[in-house]
Amino acid sequence: MNMKVKPNTNLLDVKGMKIHFHSSEGVAKAVDGISFHLDRGEVLGIVGESGCGKSVTAKSIMRLIPTPPGKIAAGQIIFDGTDLLKLSIQQMRRIRGNRIAMIFQEPMTSLNPVFTIGDQISEMFILHRGLRRKQALEQAVEMLAKVQIPEPCKRSREYPHQLSGGMRQRAMIAMALACDPQILIADEPTTALDVTIQAQIIDLMLQLKEDFHTSIIMITHDLGVIAEIAQTVAVMYAGKIVEQAPAVDLFDRASHPYTQGLLKSIPKLGRRAAKGRCDLSEIPGIVPSLYRLPQGCSFYPRCEKAHAVCNSLMPDLHSVSEHHRVRCWLYADKGKRKD
Amino acid sequence: MQPLLEVHDLKVHFPIKKGIFSRTTGYIYAVNGICLHLDPGETLGIVGESGCGKTTAGLAILNLIKPTSGSVCYEGRDLAGISKKEHKALTREMQIIFQDPYSSLNPRMTINKILSSPMEIHGLYKGARRQERIDHLLEKVGLHPEQGKRYPHEFSGGQRQRVGIARALALNPKLIIGDEPVSALDVSIQAQIINLLIGLQKEFNLSYLMISHDLAVVEHICDRIAVMYLGKMVETAGFKQLYTNPKHPYTQSLLSVVPVADPRHKRKGNMLSGDVPSPIHPPSGCYFHPRCPRRMEICSRQAPELKEAGPGHLAACHLCG
């Protein structure tokens, strides 16, 4: 009777989610049964190549998958105790932008070119907080100041095309954080930016995470960016999570042949200057089509360590240590490698 | 040894036209006086942020954009003074690989047709030898000769970039300019293309001019590197000096902000604030001074010249030399 329910630190719990796209070519299994969770104040990185399903995963949390052709075929997205997939459109609207916000790769195409930056940010306050336009605009200027845009008052009256790429991304972040969301989903937020601006945006996101106590889901193809920002990492390949681990473990003890291959295939800054040129190891072949995934493990046609079982059965996620899980037959026997 | 390519004080200014009479109201100083040279068999990298003029410089070297002033000499011949016919002959020796493998191949041509066009234009490899040559090229870049019958949309991004490379090789060029040849590709495919480019260079003794924003890729491929900022060259050095002992504050900051795939790595050094200024109204004096963490009083008044900062190492900064 006195048993108190332990406060759940899980803010977001995605369970067995499958997202399929139907087209004349057949069914593309863009996301094929993935599960992950996000703690309060955590930064989760989702990394993978184009077409691995990382953006679709992000959009599905916001319920932004166009239906048809897309369909969430199975799974649950539990946010703070409620399943987002069961909410009505009106209920979802109250969450979207308010409690879960998202920023996108291309800040030019995700801002509306015919409204000023101030108008677009103040819309958040009018819609979710019920403020009047004047107050909302004041709040918008305050948000622009928080994302370190110089002359926020003047900038709030400008249109997106008058801002530089880095500035637009700051404005996007200001809009996303306007209502103090619990989760910020960032889909390749720095990919379109130069390295010097990228570093500024990453620092800004990390600082705002502390100030606003926001959890972040960072989606990117860049392992360097992941290493800078994420505490835990999920590596995706062909719609599945193939490796999941705390960032330090993942980079120190990458266990899935795909993750190992990825880490070995990127040239490291300063390595040639220090040690001379070593060959980049390449992952042979290409990512399989989502319409015609190979039987068994999706990675086996490109895998150096493939053996008989790999082409007939998809492996489960096996634990190699606490919190470190790998979808590979090499680790099927309680973390012991069988090669 | 005579350099294969010598660029002297190259400038490309684009006029900004306004009003019904299209009066020129100003200029975009895209490339504002760069000097470089490239020896046979060497790889030179040009790095810089977007808008620094690196792509424009590459196009101006190929004469695909008319330079405003300055000279581009190929094997000692100034490209500005030559006739159309001579220029056409020279295009056989200088080829380009573009960034986007999706928009740089004609979707209505088969791969065979794409690869035979350059030979047709130059009247090379006639008759049956042309198909032989195409098959040979496809094999060289790691594709099957049968794939020549297919159209670009049937290929993945990496395979298309291989076709782009085969097209650049079709005329047996000496110089290939790569305009961000791997930046549109996925990580696992990037390594394949980088290895292919390095292998082809050894096999055909090619000279490369690699334009890229990715400092790690440039280090891996290039022998010498030129860093550009707002249309000017700020530093040039061999890869070893540039990456271990950069002299210009811009190069130093650029190198310090590249994300490293190691969660324990902490960024150190100078973090640049603000954005790159507009090339329409570049700052006075040294173009970098508004963002420079080590600016001095002289920097806003006087533009620094490229000065020797070590053997084969030039830097345009008042702190050096």
Side-chain angles (χ1 to χ4, degrees):
Chain A
M1 275 214 292
N2 265 339
M3 273 203 332
K4 265 194 187 164
V5 182
K6 205 177 138 203
N8 189 5
T9 54
N10 278 12
L11 184 59
L12 184 77
D13 227 330
V14 174
K15 288 181 188 164
M17 188 164 58
K18 290 185 179 183
I19 304 166
H20 296 173
F21 285 84
H22 297 262
S23 78
S24 54
E25 266 192 78
V27 180
K29 294 176 179 166
V31 172
D32 197 17
I34 69 167
S35 305
F36 61 86
H37 65 88
L38 180 71
D39 289 343
R40 285 173 210 279
E42 185 187 353
V43 182
L44 168 73
I46 300 182
V47 66
E49 296 179 277
S50 33
C52 73
K54 55 191 192 303
S55 287
V56 174
T57 304
K59 282 190 188 140
S60 70
I61 298 169
M62 293 287 269
R63 293 258 308 264
L64 291 173
I65 302 288
T67 317
K71 191 172 177 248
I72 298 183
Q76 288 177 306
I77 302 173
I78 315 256
F79 167 65
D80 223 2
T82 41
D83 188 351
L84 294 183
L85 297 178
K86 294 216 170 76
L87 295 185
S88 67
I89 293 171
Q90 281 78 14
Q91 286 171 316
M92 193 58 214
R93 249 185 221 152
R94 258 174 259 146
I95 288 183
R96 204 184 281 144
N98 188 19
R99 299 179 63 197
I100 306 178
M102 188 161 176
I103 53 176
F104 300 89
Q105 173 171 356
E106 200 8 275
M108 190 63 210
T109 49
S110 39
L111 288 166
N112 191 332
V114 299
F115 290 102
T116 63
I117 297 295
D119 275 338
Q120 294 185 52
I121 299 174
S122 62
E123 201 187 342
M124 299 288 290
F125 295 108
I126 296 169
L127 212 64
H128 293 299
R129 293 281 183 271
L131 295 188
R132 286 175 183 279
R133 201 177 118 85
K134 201 175 157 231
Q135 293 165 302
L137 272 173
E138 281 166 16
Q139 296 265 319
V141 172
E142 219 170 274
M143 276 316 295
L144 287 174
K146 277 187 192 148
V147 295
Q148 296 154 20
I149 288 189
E151 303 175 84
C153 205
K154 180 179 157 231
R155 291 296 182 184
S156 74
R157 289 191 294 271
E158 291 187 343
Y159 291 88
H161 74 269
Q162 292 170 292
L163 271 60
S164 67
M167 208 82 103
R168 272 181 225 135
Q169 200 57 288
R170 281 173 196 271
M172 278 296 297
I173 294 174
M175 196 188 302
L177 294 181
C179 293
D180 207 353
Q182 283 150 295
I183 301 177
L184 174 67
I185 302 173
D187 188 1
E188 306 255 11
T190 61
T191 306
L193 306 173
D194 280 313
V195 273
T196 58
I197 311 296
Q198 170 171 286
Q200 293 173 11
I201 297 290
I202 289 176
D203 282 3
L204 175 72
M205 286 178 68
L206 285 175
Q207 193 207 318
L208 293 173
K209 175 191 127 13
E210 295 303 317
D211 298 352
F212 286 76
H213 307 290
T214 313
S215 309
I216 297 177
I217 299 179
M218 180 78 164
I219 291 161
T220 178
H221 69 280
D222 190 329
L223 287 158
V225 170
I226 286 285
E228 284 211 349
I229 198 165
Q231 289 151 354
T232 49
V233 185
V235 182
M236 284 186 75
Y237 186 79
K240 283 198 159 65
I241 291 179
V242 294
E243 186 159 3
Q244 219 168 1
V248 176
D249 284 0
L250 188 96
F251 285 94
D252 284 359
R253 287 180 291 280
S255 300
H256 195 283
Y258 176 63
T259 320
Q260 292 170 346
L262 274 187
L263 284 168
K264 272 189 266 171
S265 67
I266 42 174
K268 283 192 189 65
L269 192 76
R271 185 171 62 186
R272 183 179 173 212
K275 295 184 192 147
R277 179 142 82 192
C278 35
D279 282 338
L280 287 184
S281 63
E282 42 187 90
I283 303 176
I286 56 168
V287 180
S289 157
L290 293 173
Y291 292 107
R292 282 173 293 278
L293 285 177
Q295 240 197 346
C297 171
S298 321
F299 187 61
Y300 104 87
R302 304 176 75 188
C303 184
E304 285 176 334
K305 296 172 184 162
H307 50 280
V309 64
C310 303
N311 71 4
S312 52
L313 279 170
M314 171 58 87
D316 289 327
L317 277 169
H318 300 288
S319 296
V320 285
S321 64
E322 211 197 346
H323 307 305
H324 190 161
R325 302 196 299 160
V326 187
R327 189 182 290 281
C328 181
W329 284 115
L330 292 173
Y331 306 94
D333 188 18
K334 279 195 179 167
K336 250 193 239 153
R337 280 181 61 153
K338 301 189 295 187
D339 43 347
Chain B
M1 185 167 54
Q2 187 186 33
L4 185 71
L5 183 78
E6 224 173 349
V7 176
H8 185 70
D9 202 22
L10 183 73
K11 288 183 182 170
V12 184
H13 298 168
F14 296 110
I16 305 165
K17 300 199 183 225
K18 271 197 182 140
I20 46 166
F21 300 113
S22 331
R23 268 188 313 148
T24 302
T25 54
Y27 288 94
I28 299 169
Y29 300 99
V31 177
N32 212 355
I34 61 165
C35 301
L36 21 108
H37 68 95
L38 180 66
D39 291 328
E42 190 187 31
T43 304
L44 174 70
I46 301 184
V47 293
E49 293 176 274
S50 37
C52 74
K54 52 192 193 302
T55 295
T56 310
L59 295 176
I61 288 167
L62 285 176
N63 222 355
L64 293 175
I65 292 177
K66 267 242 157 310
T68 311
S69 69
S71 68
V72 177
C73 294
Y74 180 80
E75 290 185 325
R77 269 190 298 169
D78 192 339
L79 296 190
I82 61 171
S83 67
K84 258 201 171 143
K85 213 172 149 192
E86 281 175 299
H87 184 251
K88 188 180 160 189
L90 270 183
T91 55
R92 272 175 60 181
E93 309 205 344
M94 309 162 82
Q95 289 290 322
I96 186 164
I97 305 167
F98 294 99
Q99 171 172 5
D100 184 357
Y102 291 83
S103 59
S104 56
L105 300 177
N106 188 334
R108 298 163 67 143
M109 288 185 178
T110 61
I111 302 307
N112 278 334
K113 182 91 183 89
I114 288 171
L115 294 180
S116 70
S117 299
M119 301 181 219
E120 238 165 73
I121 290 165
H122 289 273
L124 295 167
Y125 302 99
K126 298 213 171 92
R129 284 180 53 227
R130 188 166 288 168
Q131 192 55 49
E132 263 171 45
R133 172 79 182 153
I134 291 170
D135 293 351
H136 174 72
L137 285 169
L138 286 173
E139 273 171 20
K140 278 282 161 237
V141 297
L143 296 169
H144 294 293
E146 310 94 76
Q147 289 176 302
K149 296 191 190 79
R150 299 204 198 155
Y151 287 88
H153 75 266
E154 297 174 70
F155 292 91
S156 69
Q159 288 175 317
R160 282 183 226 209
Q161 200 57 301
R162 288 176 193 269
V163 174
I165 293 169
R167 177 174 62 184
L169 287 174
L171 301 172
N172 268 321
K174 289 185 187 162
L175 168 67
I176 291 184
I177 296 186
D179 187 3
E180 306 259 14
V182 297
S183 53
L185 306 174
D186 269 318
V187 194
S188 72
I189 308 299
Q190 227 180 46
Q192 295 176 4
I193 300 295
I194 291 173
N195 287 346
L196 175 66
L197 286 169
I198 293 172
L200 291 170
Q201 175 168 42
K202 282 188 199 135
E203 191 173 346
F204 297 107
N205 193 31
L206 297 164
S207 304
Y208 284 148
L209 184 66
M210 283 294 160
I211 297 163
S212 178
H213 69 279
D214 189 326
L215 289 145
V217 167
V218 164
E219 179 193 358
H220 188 80
I221 304 179
C222 301
D223 306 313
R224 275 190 313 119
I225 289 134
V227 183
M228 280 184 76
Y229 186 76
L230 267 187
K232 288 203 187 237
M233 256 168 59
V234 296
E235 185 162 4
T236 165
F239 72 90
K240 220 169 197 161
Q241 289 108 301
L242 194 93
Y243 285 85
T244 50
N245 189 15
K247 297 285 185 196
H248 198 284
Y250 178 61
T251 317
Q252 291 166 356
S253 328
L254 214 50
L255 287 172
S256 72
V257 294
V258 175
V260 178
D262 177 3
R264 287 190 201 85
H265 173 90
K266 286 276 166 288
R267 250 190 268 133
K268 45 184 179 282
N270 310 311
M271 176 87 158
L272 292 184
S273 57
D275 289 309
V276 182
S278 148
I280 303 171
H281 304 290
S284 63
C286 172
Y287 285 1
F288 185 58
H289 87 262
R291 296 174 85 193
C292 184
R294 298 169 69 188
R295 65 175 162 263
M296 301 174 293
E297 191 270 326
I298 184 173
C299 301
S300 58
R301 281 188 289 114
Q302 199 185 333
E305 300 276 314
L306 268 177
K307 275 174 290 204
E308 190 133 355
H313 193 157
L314 299 173
C317 180
H318 289 301
L319 288 167
C320 311

